[in-house]
Amino acid sequence: MAAQGPGRRARVRQATLAEIRAVARRLLIEQGSAAVTINAVAREMGMSGPALYHYFAGHEELVTAVTVDFFRELTAEMEAARDACPPGDHGRRLLATCRAMRGWAIAHRAEFGWMFASPISGGPRPGSPRDMAGHAFGEVFFEEMAELWRTRPFPLPAPERLDPAIREQLRDFAAEHAAGVPVEAVHVFLTCWIRLYGLLCMEVLNQLDFAYSDLGPVFEECLRELAPVLGIDYDAATGAVAAS
């Protein structure tokens, strides 16, 4: 006997949940994060505020659901760009992932700002849906970095040159996200990430508009400068990279 799909009531509920998240996203894009309230979403859907609580327990749960959607969408974009490159070409895969991240962020500025400055109180909550979605996003980078290190290690600072406080802070992180990769290698990669991600955040938040009208070439320049730090060659003409 063929397995039955979800019943009509379940299908209607899932469709309503998807519509609520879509309306929240539209309000975010058109009016900003302050406009995304339970009452505003309900009003846009022709519902009462109390009726919406049958689907989300409150504003924070709605924010979490929308944020998870954004993380999953961005992660899928980065994975698609990464997987379009040869499996063993970890340098090229890393750069493709970075470019995909910027492409999505620039096309979805409101969503990117919501994800990384989300109005959720209480700080990180390990094991929560948002935490797991953010973890999956980060792993796209860290898994590739770890494979890059294992196949062709990049230059590292001498162990004695790394501040003991940095080593202590990164020890658990390295064990969780890059098993077998030296703490020094994780520090090098995070240093690159901080520079690249910081530049992207400044672009999305329009903090460099006083000087630049197009930060695409600046982002590429940053990739070109960081490539040799990770032991990969950057091809300025095509954007391709190869292991050094």
Side-chain angles (χ1 to χ4, degrees):
M1 182 177 180
Q4 293 184 342
R8 181 178 182 278
R9 181 175 295 179
R11 293 196 303 272
V12 170
R13 179 174 178 80
Q14 289 304 313
T16 304
L17 285 168
E19 184 181 359
I20 290 170
R21 298 196 303 272
V23 169
R25 183 174 193 167
R26 178 167 56 79
L27 287 172
L28 168 68
I29 295 170
E30 295 177 354
Q31 301 180 37
S33 60
V36 185
T37 66
I38 291 290
N39 287 335
V41 172
R43 186 166 53 249
E44 289 290 314
M45 295 185 63
M47 300 170 61
S48 67
L52 206 73
Y53 285 102
H54 291 297
Y55 298 93
F56 292 98
H59 179 256
E60 185 167 316
E61 188 173 303
L62 173 60
V63 167
T64 296
V66 175
T67 304
V68 168
D69 283 348
F70 296 163
F71 267 116
R72 288 175 176 167
E73 186 177 312
L74 171 56
T75 301
E77 287 279 331
M78 296 191 308
E79 289 175 337
R82 176 200 65 191
D83 294 343
C85 302
D89 196 342
H90 302 295
R92 186 174 183 182
R93 287 162 69 89
L94 269 173
L95 291 194
T97 301
C98 292
R99 292 188 180 105
M101 178 178 68
R102 177 181 180 270
W104 190 91
I106 298 308
H108 304 89
R109 291 174 182 261
E111 294 94 322
F112 188 84
W114 173 285
M115 290 160 63
F116 295 102
S118 181
I120 295 181
S121 61
R125 298 176 184 176
S128 68
R130 187 190 188 284
D131 179 76
M132 290 188 289
H135 181 85
F137 159 77
E139 287 303 293
V140 179
F141 289 100
F142 289 112
E143 288 176 0
E144 209 61 48
M145 180 277 294
E147 288 303 314
L148 174 64
W149 168 261
R150 294 182 186 115
T151 56
R152 193 177 290 269
F154 43 85
L156 299 182
E160 64 273 11
R161 293 181 64 85
L162 188 63
D163 190 304
I166 293 176
R167 184 183 304 281
E168 181 64 27
Q169 293 177 75
L170 291 182
R171 184 177 292 115
D172 292 342
F173 179 87
E176 179 181 355
H177 296 277
V181 178
V183 169
E184 293 86 359
V186 175
H187 176 59
V188 169
F189 185 78
L190 284 175
T191 300
C192 294
W193 167 253
I194 290 168
R195 180 177 170 188
L196 196 69
Y197 175 69
L199 174 60
L200 180 56
C201 287
M202 293 183 75
E203 179 177 11
V204 171
L205 296 174
N206 302 311
Q207 293 181 341
L208 293 172
D209 287 2
F210 66 89
Y212 297 100
S213 59
D214 176 15
L215 276 160
V218 179
F219 190 84
E220 283 297 317
E221 181 178 61
C222 186
L223 289 178
R224 184 171 61 247
E225 292 175 354
L226 294 178
V229 176
L230 296 174
I232 54 179
D233 294 327
Y234 176 87
D235 186 330
T238 64
V241 297
S244 297

